Amino acid sequence: MWIRAIFCAALLFASPAHAGVVNVIEAYAKPTIGKQKVGVAFVTIQSVSDQNDALIAVESPQAARVELHTNEMKNDIMRMRKLEKMALPAHGEVRMEGGGLHLMLYDLKQPLKIGETIELILTFQRAPRTRIVLPVRK
Ligand SMILES: [Cu+2]
């Protein structure tokens, strides 16, 4: 089911002259199980720029490290693979969802519980760095 997430987005830094612009239209993290220190988050980003861009890094004050991942089938086994970047075509989108592109949060300081939030800082090749606050939900 497609539920529009509630989140806040704010620009951290002033845009460079030719920066593209992005809209974060959906963002959430899944709750962690027990004392698990690894979490997963999904963000859908739309480009409103005429130039191709890419998501190249993600950080969180609540996790030691965030990696860009994809899932792929290899010999009938679903495996995660780390990506250097996720392409954001001009006027296109990056869509993260279960079974596909996602963000992995490593060494979480606290477990992620439903109703709480997590902060992410998105770094793009062109667009300004963007801070978002995601709800934790199923
Ligand atoms: Cu992963």
Side-chain angles (χ1 to χ4, degrees), residues 69 80 102 104:
H69 276 195
M80 295 197 297
H102 59 278
M104 297 293 295

Side-chain angles (χ1 to χ4, degrees), residues 5-62:
I6 298 161
F7 61 90
C8 322
L11 299 181
L12 274 185
F13 302 98
S15 329
H18 301 290
V21 182
V22 297
N23 281 331
V24 176
I25 56 167
E26 159 104 12
Y28 68 98
K30 278 190 180 172
T32 50
I33 298 154
K35 293 210 162 109
Q36 207 177 58
K37 288 197 159 187
V38 180
V40 62
F42 302 94
V43 182
T44 293
I45 303 157
Q46 273 183 344
S47 162
V48 281
S49 167
D50 293 330
Q51 290 179 301
N52 290 333
D53 201 343
L55 179 66
I56 55 170
V58 180
E59 301 151 69
S60 173
Q62 286 145 275

